[in-house]
Amino acid sequence: MEVLKMLGPYIDISKPSYDDAKNIFGDDDIKNYIKYFEEFGIKNIIFTLGKDGALIHNKKYEENIPTFATKVIDVTGAGDAVWSGIYTGLLNNLNIVEATKLGLAFAAEKLKYLGAIAPLESWKNIKEKYMI
């Protein structure tokens, strides 16, 4: 909590999972978790919700994005895959919603493989495949 208080105003994007928030703040409702992260000054919150996709929240809007996953072999590395897609999208001028969708598409592809590393196609192919 002390680290979040200190660094929160400098954080543009945070991608906690529901379980992360529960471990930090205790058992609560997602709306309260969002409020807590906002109180720390974090500008964009992307909650990953496992099989329920993700929830993007900032001062302008809130949007639920469903998962693209249809086949799950192993969840190891799925969160890292989401981050990879988000970063890739933002670095390639996608907005935060498109970048988050790309992150979920990366995760959907990763989930089809056992282990943390998966042979993913190029980000442009994944973007096209999931029609982002």
Side-chain angles (χ1 to χ4, degrees):
M1 295 280 223
E2 292 304 313
V3 172
L4 284 172
K5 284 180 189 175
M6 185 174 59
L7 296 178
Y10 305 102
I11 298 173
D12 288 327
I13 299 174
S14 179
K15 188 207 69 63
S17 68
Y18 186 82
D19 289 338
D20 293 335
K22 187 176 180 177
N23 288 331
I24 295 168
F25 303 113
D27 197 17
D28 211 334
D29 174 278
I30 195 157
K31 296 290 183 190
N32 286 330
Y33 292 147
I34 288 169
K35 186 178 83 176
Y36 302 148
F37 281 102
E38 277 186 321
E39 287 173 356
F40 289 123
I42 298 170
K43 295 160 194 68
N44 295 283
I45 305 154
I46 303 170
F47 265 98
T48 53
L49 305 169
K51 65 178 177 50
D52 294 322
L55 170 69
I56 302 171
H57 178 88
N58 61 33
K59 291 194 183 291
K60 293 180 184 175
Y61 64 89
E62 187 169 290
E63 184 164 344
N64 287 297
I65 301 172
T67 185
F68 293 117
T70 57
K71 180 178 180 182
V72 178
I73 301 296
D74 184 8
V75 298
T76 304
D80 293 334
V82 173
W83 263 127
S84 297
I86 291 170
Y87 287 143
T88 299
L90 293 173
L91 289 170
N92 285 282
N93 300 312
L94 299 182
N95 66 42
I96 194 162
V97 173
E98 295 166 329
T100 301
K101 287 179 180 179
L102 186 63
L104 292 176
F106 274 37
E109 290 295 304
K110 188 272 149 243
L111 290 168
K112 297 175 184 176
Y113 297 93
L114 184 63
I117 299 172
L120 300 182
E121 299 175 59
S122 76
W123 76 271
K124 289 181 181 179
N125 287 350
I126 292 173
K127 181 178 180 271
E128 185 177 315
K129 180 177 183 177
Y130 289 91
M131 299 175 67
I132 298 167

